[in-house]
Amino acid sequence: MSPLRVCIVGSGNWGSAIARIIGKNVQKSNRFDPTVKLWVFEEIINGRKLSEIINQEHENVKYLPGYKIPKNQFIGRICEQIAGQIKSGTFGISLIKGIDEGPDGLKLISDLIREKLKIEISVLMGANIAKEVADEKFCETTIGCKNEKQGEIFKELMQTPNFRITVVLDSDTVEICGALKNIVAVGAGFCDGLDFGDNTKAAVIRLGLMEMVAFAKMFCRGPVSIATFLESCGVADLITTCYGGRNRKVAEAFARTGKSIEELENEMLNGQKLQGPQTSAEVYKILKQKNMLDKFPLFTTIYKICYEGRSIQDFITCLQNHPEHI
């Protein structure tokens, strides 16, 4: 068999961190072509093209400064041009933690890619803060796939001693965890901004996990394995996001300053959008359609505080009145 050719689409901090791992791994295996393409949204940084800087200096100076990308990376054209260029037999993996809006509310990113590119897609989700991965600090992650052989190929491509991967055949649950935990992280940020303490935040994490499980059972196609929530994509990513990350950070500022989410995105995120509030809006739509808002008080209250002007002081009420079981 000819070696598999690898292309990474996207060059933010996470894409650049993964590029470091993949660039080294392909040189150690006969399974992969040693040249890795990196597709980057072109930007001008201090008068120079970002793609030119990455090609010449092997560093993403905007999104992952201070970390060299292996020299076998180079820049392709922008990802909107991909659809017409894909060869038969191509398969992919999504590392995007979020969702999109579909006609019925929430739509998985992997489904969008699958539909647009007509290829099989796996997902990778876990407690993986990009800078810590780039620093080669030990962490775990989860690959969710429908094709186990492809999942194992991606594990070989990306696993290192300090980036340990588990493969599960439950890709929808893995991906929905990556989206829903951002809503819970907003609740954790509210706790911090309101000075509620670690006990309250622990309750938010537990109740949030309950709502994640219940929503996954309602939303995902096929059976949902509770064991998946004990993988890195579930409880580990939830804990990490509720104690670090931008959703928690901006939500804390929201509680302390009274500024809108949009104002804080502009001030704190270098132009990037916050995933937690957006995901809460998509989830709210689905729950409202199904007349199930009262079954998900944490998700519902977070949405109403972010978008409908509900007082942040009401946040504690949704915890006090939360049902023991969903």
Side-chain angles (χ1 to χ4, degrees):
M1 279 182 60
S2 58
L4 297 171
R5 294 163 62 189
V6 181
C7 174
I8 302 167
V9 180
S11 60
N13 57 354
W14 189 210
S16 297
I18 288 296
R20 285 169 52 79
I21 290 174
I22 291 176
K24 293 173 183 176
N25 278 359
V26 295
Q27 298 175 64
K28 302 172 186 174
S29 170
N30 293 328
R31 188 193 289 271
F32 306 105
D33 188 296
T35 298
V36 178
K37 298 181 182 181
L38 180 65
W39 293 62
V40 55
F41 181 79
E42 192 68 277
E43 298 179 67
I44 303 300
I45 309 294
N46 296 327
R48 295 174 65 194
K49 290 182 178 179
L50 181 57
S51 60
E52 179 184 285
I53 296 170
I54 293 174
N55 274 335
Q56 294 178 2
E57 300 173 17
H58 309 290
E59 182 181 348
N60 189 328
V61 294
K62 179 170 183 180
Y63 295 110
L64 197 69
Y67 298 91
K68 293 297 181 181
I69 298 171
K71 294 184 179 180
N72 53 335
Q73 310 283 338
F74 73 93
I75 307 303
R77 288 171 296 174
I78 223 155
C79 67
E80 286 81 28
Q81 301 168 345
I82 290 174
Q85 310 295 326
I86 291 180
K87 291 186 178 180
S88 175
T90 296
F91 54 97
I93 186 166
S94 170
L95 280 66
I96 301 166
K97 292 179 180 177
I99 47 91
D100 199 22
E101 183 176 358
D104 301 314
L106 182 152
K107 189 176 183 70
L108 297 178
I109 298 294
S110 65
D111 283 339
L112 291 175
I113 299 170
R114 196 175 288 114
E115 291 167 11
K116 182 178 178 183
L117 302 185
K118 306 292 190 289
I119 62 174
E120 289 191 75
I121 292 287
S122 300
V123 298
L124 182 147
M125 305 283 154
N128 310 138
I129 295 171
K131 187 178 184 304
E132 293 183 14
V133 174
D135 279 332
E136 300 182 19
K137 294 179 178 177
F138 179 82
C139 66
E140 299 176 310
T141 198
T142 311
I143 287 177
C145 60
K146 301 179 190 299
N147 182 316
E148 190 170 10
K149 182 181 176 183
Q150 291 176 6
E152 292 298 333
I153 288 171
F154 284 122
K155 179 174 180 176
E156 181 181 340
L157 179 65
M158 289 184 275
Q159 180 161 268
T160 73
N162 286 325
F163 191 64
R164 190 167 69 178
I165 296 172
T166 301
V167 178
V168 299
L169 293 171
D170 193 8
S171 61
D172 286 356
T173 305
V174 170
E175 187 168 9
I176 204 72
C177 281
L180 296 181
K181 54 95 183 179
N182 287 322
I183 305 178
V184 186
V186 172
F190 290 168
C191 278
D192 293 339
L194 294 166
D195 295 317
F196 282 164
D198 286 338
N199 291 342
T200 308
K201 190 191 280 193
V204 168
I205 292 171
R206 189 189 76 82
L207 297 171
L209 182 60
M210 282 176 56
E211 294 194 13
M212 287 169 61
V213 172
F215 189 89
K217 286 180 177 179
M218 181 182 73
F219 176 82
C220 293
R221 300 155 294 201
V224 169
S225 172
I226 297 302
T228 302
F229 291 90
L230 300 180
E231 298 290 349
S232 182
C233 63
V235 66
D237 197 11
L238 179 60
I239 292 168
T240 298
T241 311
C242 287
Y243 279 91
R246 59 192 180 197
N247 286 282
R248 188 219 62 79
K249 183 180 179 181
V250 174
E252 179 182 1
F254 178 92
R256 292 194 187 281
T257 67
K259 294 181 179 179
S260 70
I261 293 292
E262 188 175 17
E263 285 178 292
L264 293 168
E265 284 173 337
N266 292 332
E267 289 178 17
M268 301 173 68
L269 296 184
N270 194 25
Q272 297 181 76
K273 300 299 284 184
L274 204 61
Q275 292 169 318
Q278 289 180 319
T279 305
S280 77
E282 299 306 331
V283 165
Y284 183 84
K285 261 186 224 171
I286 292 177
L287 295 176
K288 191 172 184 180
Q289 286 170 1
K290 295 183 179 292
N291 198 28
M292 294 185 71
L293 291 173
D294 60 328
K295 300 285 188 184
F296 295 83
L298 184 68
F299 287 174
T300 299
T301 301
I302 288 169
Y303 163 77
K304 288 185 174 180
I305 290 171
C306 287
Y307 291 111
E308 292 191 351
R310 184 167 178 176
S311 170
I312 189 86
Q313 304 301 327
D314 288 345
F315 181 65
I316 193 70
T317 307
C318 82
L319 307 179
Q320 293 168 333
N321 299 329
H322 203 286
E324 290 182 21
H325 305 286
I326 299 179

